[in-house]
Amino acid sequence: MEVPYFAFRDFVPGVQQQLEQALVQMAKRGNFILGKEVHSFQKEFAAYLAEGTTAIGVGNGYDALVISLKALGIGIGDEVLMPSNSYMATVNAVLQVRAKPVLVEPDAYTYNLTAANAEKAITPKTKAMLPVHLYGQPCQMGELMQLAAKYKLRVLEDCAQAHGATFKDQKVGTFGDAAAFSFYPTKNLGAMGDGGAVVTNNIIIADFVQQYCNYGQKQKYIGELVGVNSRLDELQAAILRIKLQHLNQYNTERQRLAKVYLKELQSIGDLILPRTADNCNHVYHIFNIRTKYREALQNHLSKSGIGTAIHYPMPVHLQPAYTFLGYQSGDFPVAEELADTSLSLPLFPGMTEVEQESVIEVVKEFYNR
Ligand SMILES: *Cc1c(COP(=O)(O)O)cnc(C)c1O
């Protein structure tokens, strides 16, 4: 049986029709930039996250990171702490504002940035922390915010993989000074193209972002600051408004699928399954398992028609693009081990029971050979 690593099947009954209708309406309406859909989505997404917070749509998740860093005043010479096992976007955003990414070893169990490891990397130049809620698991925001207060650091949350995840019943994206969300199509809340948002409860940051992403204009044709063009597309906003109504349902479905994997794959071979830390509601953007036989298991699954992915095969500090940062092999043993052993199993809203059984069967078969 063929099981794709990912498929766009999050269209619970009626959603497909709603999406098509929205596309047709948009084509007729002809208001394509920063119209009613963007404004409504910004309000609705902010309300979904927390009372009193603001969401500003931008072009993509990367821009959300860059613009947030700019808004926080991070620039030349500033050091930004981030986990060494994140996606390249997080590092590149820091480099884009000409600040210095300072990599930190992730926690061996949650794979996230911890206060203890971050504290060891703090220098007089450290200006900000950039925790990434990796795979959909929230970082321990209590201890990270305490550390930030102690050293007067800014906090930017990378929420690209964790829409709707909570720490102590509070949504990620509402802890730090600002948060960056991506609506890349495969994310927990995905558009039909690129999209992103900056979330903040700081009015000064919100004002800056609003202007910066639209050429620095507050009023049309009056440039208050030198900005860029990174606007959330009106069409994508219309799509996101519809899908936001089902985000909790999609996340619950991801959690249900994860529970089945966790039950069925426990104590199989040398598999290390994801662990959810205290006070976290994990939304399983990615279901990551680990094994020292990663290549062989991936090949075995592939021969049986089961798609998998690797997040990520090479840690940031060993990527050719970042040799100038001066890191070496052996600098982050946990991140290196993760890169060598991680495998992501299919998990997406709409995945069928039969498909999941097939994945489980083939994994078990691999260890019983
Ligand atoms: C997807 C992702 C991004 C970037 O989002 P884009 O919308 O693709 O630019 C940033 N950080 C993390 C952790 C991501 O997974």
Side-chain angles (χ1 to χ4, degrees):
M1 166 169 219
E2 296 272 325
V3 183
Y5 172 66
F6 180 85
F8 291 105
R9 291 209 210 121
D10 49 354
F11 304 143
V12 288
V15 173
Q16 180 72 31
Q17 290 86 323
Q18 271 179 284
L19 293 172
E20 285 170 13
Q21 221 167 31
L23 295 175
V24 172
Q25 275 170 5
M26 283 291 308
K28 286 184 185 156
R29 197 185 302 146
N31 187 2
F32 299 123
I33 301 291
L34 297 182
K36 136 181 179 297
E37 301 290 343
V38 168
H39 289 109
S40 299
F41 172 70
Q42 290 180 157
K43 281 215 180 85
E44 289 158 10
F45 189 54
Y48 172 82
L49 294 174
E51 209 176 297
T53 204
T54 305
I56 302 117
V58 294
N60 52 64
Y62 173 76
D63 282 355
L65 287 166
V66 173
I67 296 170
S68 296
L69 288 165
K70 289 246 179 208
L72 294 174
I74 308 298
I76 298 175
D78 296 336
E79 295 184 356
V80 179
L81 305 178
M82 53 163 289
S84 54
N85 57 325
S86 186
Y87 180 54
M88 285 178 287
T90 322
V91 195
N92 289 6
V94 174
L95 290 168
Q96 172 91 56
V97 300
R98 301 174 74 189
K100 184 180 170 193
V102 173
L103 304 178
V104 175
E105 182 84 310
D107 181 70
Y109 299 102
T110 63
Y111 317 143
N112 274 337
L113 184 70
T114 63
N117 288 351
E119 187 164 19
K120 287 184 226 155
I122 293 176
T123 76
K125 290 183 177 167
T126 310
K127 286 285 160 58
M129 271 195 293
L130 214 175
V132 181
H133 306 296
L134 200 70
Y135 304 154
Q137 164 137 262
C139 297
Q140 293 291 307
M141 290 313 294
E143 59 177 51
L144 287 176
M145 294 311 295
Q146 258 174 6
L147 185 71
K150 182 172 165 193
Y151 291 91
K152 299 196 163 43
L153 304 179
R154 299 292 222 158
V155 176
L156 167 58
E157 296 174 68
D158 184 337
C159 300
Q161 303 190 355
H163 316 68
T166 61
F167 174 75
K168 291 194 173 168
D169 296 323
Q170 185 180 336
K171 297 246 169 51
V172 301
T174 63
F175 291 90
D177 298 285
F181 283 86
S182 162
F183 305 122
Y184 183 84
T186 60
K187 307 279 174 161
N188 289 40
L189 177 59
M192 288 179 162
D194 278 311
V198 174
V199 168
T200 180
N201 56 18
N202 179 321
I203 209 112
I204 297 165
I205 294 173
D207 266 357
F208 176 90
V209 173
Q210 216 131 38
Q211 290 171 47
Y212 187 84
C213 69
N214 191 23
Y215 292 121
Q217 302 172 102
K218 195 169 195 169
Q219 264 174 284
K220 205 167 166 97
Y221 303 132
I222 308 295
E224 306 263 348
L225 49 88
V226 182
V228 298
N229 174 1
S230 180
R231 298 177 292 233
L232 178 61
D233 189 81
E234 181 74 359
L235 194 55
Q236 301 308 333
I239 302 302
L240 288 166
R241 286 186 71 195
I242 296 166
K243 291 181 77 177
L244 177 60
Q245 292 170 18
H246 304 278
L247 176 55
N248 285 342
Q249 193 181 339
Y250 298 148
N251 281 342
T252 304
E253 194 172 349
R254 286 174 179 276
Q255 289 168 338
R256 184 182 59 72
L257 291 162
K259 217 166 150 186
V260 173
Y261 275 142
L262 288 168
K263 176 164 175 281
E264 296 297 324
L265 297 178
Q266 64 174 323
S267 48
I268 300 290
D270 73 332
L271 287 184
I272 299 173
L273 303 180
R275 301 190 210 182
T276 303
D278 286 349
N279 299 312
C280 290
N281 189 30
H282 192 321
V283 294
Y284 294 98
H285 173 59
I286 284 167
F287 191 88
N288 167 288
I289 62 171
R290 286 165 55 208
T291 163
K292 59 175 183 278
Y293 310 110
R294 192 258 310 273
E295 254 71 63
L297 175 58
Q298 186 175 37
N299 284 333
H300 183 76
L301 285 161
S302 167
K303 276 191 204 126
S304 306
I306 294 166
T308 54
I310 296 175
H311 300 94
Y312 298 93
M314 190 184 276
V316 170
H317 68 289
L318 302 180
Q319 302 266 358
Y322 309 121
T323 45
F324 71 94
L325 292 175
Y327 293 107
Q328 285 171 17
S329 174
D331 282 351
F332 302 105
V334 172
E336 288 169 33
E337 162 105 14
L338 285 172
D340 290 340
T341 59
S342 287
L343 186 68
S344 309
L345 295 182
L347 189 156
F348 51 89
M351 183 183 189
T352 67
E353 211 171 297
V354 183
E355 285 174 325
Q356 191 175 27
E357 274 166 15
S358 163
V359 176
I360 292 161
E361 196 109 314
V362 178
V363 172
K364 285 182 174 167
E365 183 187 282
F366 172 78
Y367 283 104
N368 288 332
R369 290 172 312 167

